[in-house]
Amino acid sequence: GMIQAAHIGVGISGQEGRQAVMSADFAIAQFRYLVPLLMVHGRWSYKRIARMICFFFYKNLLFGITIFTFNAFAAFSGQYLYNDFYMTLFNVIFTALTPLIIGMFDRDVDRDMGLKYSMLYRQGQRNTYFGFWPIVGWLFTATYQAAIIMVFVLYGCRSTEVSRVGGQTFGMWETGVIMFSVLIVTVHLQVTQIEEQWTWLHHLAIWLSQAVWWFYLLAYGAFPLSLASDLYYLFVGVVALSPQYWLMLLLVPIACQLPDFFWRQMRRHLNPDDHHVVQEIQLKQKRARRERAKRGEVAGGASDGSLAAANGTDKAQVGANNVVLNIFDRRTKNTGFVPPYDAKSQFYRFIASATKLRPGSGGALQTTARNPVLEHLDAELVTNNPMRAKRPSSALKGGSGTSNGSGPSGSAPPAPIAEGSNVNAHDAAMLSTYTAALK
């Protein structure tokens, strides 16, 4: 009932069965996986989907305003500035990859930083990226960029200007190709301003989408006249020979991006968001790690260089060997799907270290507060679970394992509570009952 009534249901697959998992949207194996599910993947998913939808609104409004504005100049006759084919392919091919890349691979901070700084999760609770004002900002950006494109292109391609050395003036289809090319470049330059992380997939989506547009002009213009109609050798024979085309292709997209660029930079420096501050911390840590690695290479460079000179090997081979050795370094090895508990995290303050183990605990974590509840749970789950045919140790019998007359005959005395721990009387009574039941 609760899972179905909530916005998003999370079920835990355990010994109780899989009924909750079958009714939930997400299934996890352990309760501790809920923290990375919310703080990392949930926050990433919110920002990715919000930006992808807003980017869809932006690029379609920018595209639609140019069509509607030109139709106003044509006395609302229904005349299109663009050819029907590439106007149809605008969302299907020419701008299809970048929204998918934003919605699948964009991330502002790394996984560890998202777990460490819990305040980043508040951006989703406040609906920072998909509220009223963010959507208004995207629509305003599309509006003024469309105005800039229309003013520059229509004024630069007016009938009194010539497009080639022969003295021919700009035609309607030539102006349409110029404006559509500027539109494609502007849309993909806008992606570069909102991307938080750059990978080869981002570069592939941005540059490949633009290359497909020019390949389409070359391929479609080479079709027979009966098929290519108005685009028959238009790009090769007319548009590409005009210097105004390449000048507009360079200046107009930059002019469209400058206001948004300055606004984002001023906001980042004067009134930064939480993830901006965390990004600076993350960048500083990465630079520090690179400096430490660089100093380590310099320190070991003399011995590596002498060894390379003696064996006749190349320095690049020595560097490659160092990389291979670092891969098998246990300090850099990933220990599991969920990262170890972080002592500095706000969610695991009671954990001292994920690698510091208590002697004889079988893997139980050593805690600084010596919480008796954790002590007994670790002992019961790891070493003293009676369901696994293991005898309870003296830790649950009170140390000596003999009765002192304080309870029923043959029962174990209450487990000792660590000094300095904050345990009230109710918890102490529950621990006594729990240890007696384990006998």
Side-chain angles (χ1 to χ4, degrees):
M2 291 187 297
I3 291 180
Q4 295 179 351
H7 294 94
I8 296 177
V10 179
I12 303 176
S13 58
Q15 297 180 357
E16 298 83 2
R18 297 183 58 85
Q19 183 177 1
V21 173
M22 299 298 293
S23 303
D25 301 303
F26 297 93
I28 56 179
Q30 299 180 20
F31 189 78
R32 66 189 181 105
Y33 295 161
L34 183 62
V35 173
L37 178 64
L38 295 177
M39 298 301 167
V40 180
H41 303 286
R43 195 180 63 84
W44 282 349
S45 179
Y46 164 72
K47 295 191 68 174
R48 290 168 178 172
I49 295 176
R51 284 188 171 181
M52 182 184 67
I53 297 176
C54 290
F55 184 76
F56 265 114
F57 291 160
Y58 154 79
K59 70 184 183 70
N60 284 283
L61 181 62
L62 177 61
F63 180 54
I65 289 178
T66 58
I67 299 176
F68 180 80
T69 306
F70 178 79
N71 199 262
F73 281 100
F76 295 99
S77 61
Q79 177 63 49
Y80 292 140
L81 181 63
Y82 309 129
N83 183 269
D84 293 337
F85 282 98
Y86 62 77
M87 186 170 59
T88 306
L89 298 177
F90 176 77
N91 282 314
V92 179
I93 294 179
F94 301 138
T95 60
L97 289 179
T98 46
L100 297 178
I101 296 299
I102 294 174
M104 291 189 296
F105 300 105
D106 190 26
R107 63 172 66 179
D108 51 356
V109 296
D110 292 340
R111 178 194 183 95
D112 296 337
M113 304 300 283
L115 288 173
K116 185 175 182 180
Y117 297 96
S118 60
M119 80 287 292
L120 297 176
Y121 189 74
R122 297 177 183 175
Q123 294 178 343
Q125 295 175 329
R126 298 169 182 168
N127 202 13
T128 305
Y129 295 95
F130 202 64
F132 175 77
W133 291 111
I135 296 178
V136 170
W138 277 98
L139 300 183
F140 176 74
T141 301
T143 303
Y144 81 76
Q145 288 184 359
I148 293 176
I149 292 175
M150 296 295 297
V151 169
F152 274 83
V153 176
L154 293 183
Y155 182 79
C157 298
R158 61 189 185 275
S159 59
T160 57
E161 296 291 333
V162 296
S163 61
R164 297 182 300 280
V165 182
Q168 295 88 347
T169 59
F170 287 94
M172 184 183 66
W173 299 117
E174 183 181 357
T175 304
V177 171
I178 295 175
M179 185 176 295
F180 199 86
S181 300
V182 171
L183 189 68
I184 293 293
V185 176
T186 302
V187 168
H188 288 93
L189 282 182
Q190 185 68 29
V191 178
T192 63
Q193 297 216 54
I194 65 176
E195 282 293 340
E196 302 284 358
Q197 183 188 30
W198 283 91
T199 62
W200 66 271
L201 290 173
H202 294 82
H203 286 282
L204 179 65
I206 292 175
W207 304 115
L208 180 61
S209 299
Q210 300 180 63
V212 168
W213 158 243
W214 282 290
F215 177 77
Y216 165 81
L217 289 177
L218 294 173
Y220 191 72
F223 284 177
L225 181 60
S226 58
L227 297 177
S229 64
D230 300 315
L231 294 182
Y232 181 71
Y233 280 100
L234 179 65
F235 181 73
V236 177
V238 179
V239 178
L241 302 179
S242 174
Q244 287 93 330
Y245 171 74
W246 304 106
L247 183 63
M248 291 183 185
L249 201 62
L250 176 64
L251 297 181
V252 179
I254 296 177
C256 292
Q257 298 300 322
L258 283 180
D260 190 57
F261 173 77
F262 285 120
W263 166 254
R264 291 179 184 273
Q265 294 304 316
M266 289 177 59
R267 183 181 176 185
R268 187 182 184 96
H269 287 82
L270 300 180
N271 187 23
D273 293 332
D274 293 337
H275 71 279
H276 292 153
V277 180
V278 177
Q279 283 176 349
E280 296 295 332
I281 298 175
Q282 177 178 308
L283 181 60
K284 185 177 180 180
Q285 292 178 355
K286 289 183 178 180
R287 289 177 178 174
R289 286 196 295 266
R290 285 197 298 264
E291 290 295 331
R292 289 194 297 267
K294 190 176 181 180
R295 287 196 298 267
E297 291 177 0
V298 172
S303 59
D304 292 340
S306 60
L307 181 61
N311 298 333
T313 59
D314 189 70
K315 291 183 179 180
Q317 183 66 31
V318 176
N321 295 335
N322 292 334
V323 172
V324 174
L325 292 177
N326 290 333
I327 294 176
F328 295 97
D329 191 355
R330 294 181 60 87
R331 294 173 297 180
T332 60
K333 184 180 179 181
N334 187 12
T335 56
F337 177 74
V338 176
Y341 296 128
D342 188 0
K344 298 180 181 179
S345 176
Q346 298 184 11
F347 303 99
Y348 309 111
R349 292 180 178 176
F350 58 87
I351 298 300
S353 174
T355 58
K356 184 178 180 182
L357 302 179
R358 186 168 57 253
S361 63
L365 293 173
Q366 175 69 39
T367 60
T368 55
R370 292 183 56 82
N371 193 319
V373 177
L374 295 178
E375 292 284 340
H376 290 288
L377 287 178
D378 286 341
E380 192 270 335
L381 293 175
V382 178
T383 59
N384 303 313
N385 193 340
M387 301 301 295
R388 299 176 182 174
K390 293 184 178 181
R391 292 169 49 186
S393 64
S394 60
L396 298 180
K397 293 182 179 180
S400 60
T402 60
S403 176
N404 56 3
S406 60
S409 176
S411 63
I417 300 176
E419 297 182 0
S421 59
N422 298 324
V423 181
N424 53 31
H426 178 69
D427 293 337
M430 290 183 62
L431 287 174
S432 301
T433 306
Y434 174 72
T435 54
L438 288 178
K439 183 176 181 302

